[in-house]
Amino acid sequence: MGWLEGCKRIIGFDGCFLKGMCKGELLVAVGKNGNNQIFPIAWVVVETKHSWTWFIQHLSADLELGDGFNLTVTSDSQKGLIPAIENLQCKDEFARLGMLGRNICEYVLDYNKEVWVRAYFSPMSKCDVVKNNMCEAFHSWIVVPRHKSVITILEEIRHKVMTRTVDMRRFAETLITDISPIARMNLEENKDAFRRCKVLWNGDNGFEISNSDIRHIVDLREKTCTCRTWMLRGIPCPHAICSLYHLGQNPDGLVEH
């Protein structure tokens, strides 16, 4: 089972320079499996800075990405992002952010809000990460091979990925449910949190869930909650769980990975 069948619709791109006698750059594409673990997709050693286009074109063809619909991409490189955002309603948060240093707010606002503010994330990929940590984890995983010759680098990475793939497959075979351990842990945490919520039902699929002075609206038919956690992670949030329990339903069946 590969990225197409067993991973979230998210890919992280990153590059690192080789450390040995052979100069060049290692470009990598890394995904996340259903248990939020890294899933190495593709890697290549290149010599020119224009190789990203070639790499992504081949990757797109192999993974049948088409126009990228429903795909989330993360990268440390900020070139080519949509220009500055306007009318962002986060004044209090930016006031606190501005205390950390000069021009920080202006720097942050130079980027499209949909790539760094969870409130604007698309729910398609069922992943709410805002960092490219999966690529950093991959680089730390191959830190020793990076100091060797090109052929040795590629061979050692291939061996490590093959071994990891077998280990992950064996691990998956030990699971007794379709819910991954990380998703199960998040779900159980949400089940504990729902006990502090109060529910108001409209008699159909709509619920108003309150916790102290905070209220959220849940629609079970659309699988949405105004906290957006359910849509972004694919795991019922405490408000959705409160609504489901009110109707005597089990939230386990609504976990999407």
Side-chain angles (χ1 to χ4, degrees), residues 40-147:
I41 302 173
W43 54 94
V44 64
V45 174
V46 298
E47 294 181 340
T48 68
K49 63 181 180 180
H50 303 294
S51 300
W52 271 116
T53 300
W54 172 86
F55 180 55
I56 293 177
Q57 284 177 345
H58 282 277
L59 185 70
S60 177
D62 289 342
L63 298 182
E64 303 173 357
L65 298 181
D67 60 1
F69 181 70
N70 287 356
L71 177 69
T72 297
V73 172
T74 66
S75 174
D76 289 337
S77 174
Q78 303 299 334
K79 292 183 179 180
L81 294 179
I82 301 174
I85 59 173
E86 297 178 354
N87 301 323
L88 186 62
Q89 302 299 318
C90 302
K91 294 182 179 179
D92 292 339
E93 296 300 324
F94 278 108
R96 286 192 285 270
L97 184 63
M99 297 178 183
L100 300 178
R102 295 182 58 187
N103 301 324
I104 289 182
C105 294
E106 291 80 0
Y107 181 79
V108 169
L109 287 172
D110 279 338
Y111 300 108
N112 176 15
K113 61 182 179 298
E114 294 182 0
V115 303
W116 64 276
V117 181
R118 283 194 178 97
Y120 295 95
F121 279 9
S122 167
M124 298 296 185
S125 65
K126 303 305 176 189
C127 189
D128 62 347
V129 297
V130 295
K131 299 179 180 179
N132 202 22
N133 288 348
M134 52 190 178
C135 286
E136 300 301 328
F138 181 82
H139 288 320
S140 64
W141 189 51
I142 61 166
V143 64
V144 174
R146 283 171 56 190
H147 291 77

Side-chain angles (χ1 to χ4, degrees), residues 21-22 30 38 45 64 66 74 133 136 167 192 205 209 218 221 227 231 233 243 253:
M21 295 181 60
C22 301
V30 183
I38 65 169
V45 174
E64 303 173 357
T74 66
N133 288 348
E136 300 301 328
D167 290 342
D192 290 337
N205 289 285
I209 309 299
V218 175
R221 180 184 291 114
C227 77
M231 299 105 80
R233 295 183 178 178
S243 305

Side-chain angles (χ1 to χ4, degrees), residues 175-221:
L175 302 180
I176 59 176
T177 70
D178 292 335
I179 302 177
S180 70
I182 294 297
R184 169 62 66 184
M185 181 182 68
N186 291 335
L187 181 64
E188 295 304 321
E189 290 176 352
N190 291 345
K191 287 180 179 179
D192 290 337
F194 102 91
R195 305 179 193 280
R196 298 187 292 271
C197 299
K198 296 182 180 180
V199 59
L200 185 63
W201 183 34
N202 71 355
D204 190 14
N205 289 285
F207 293 82
E208 180 180 298
I209 309 299
S210 59
N211 183 1
S212 299
D213 296 330
I214 301 175
R215 293 182 297 175
H216 287 287
I217 306 302
V218 175
D219 188 321
L220 294 182
R221 180 184 291 114

Side-chain angles (χ1 to χ4, degrees), residues 149-168:
S149 65
V150 173
I151 297 299
T152 304
I153 290 172
L154 297 177
E155 282 297 289
E156 291 198 11
I157 293 176
R158 182 175 65 86
H159 292 167
K160 290 173 73 69
V161 170
M162 289 178 65
T163 301
R164 178 181 174 81
T165 300
V166 173
D167 290 342
M168 291 295 99

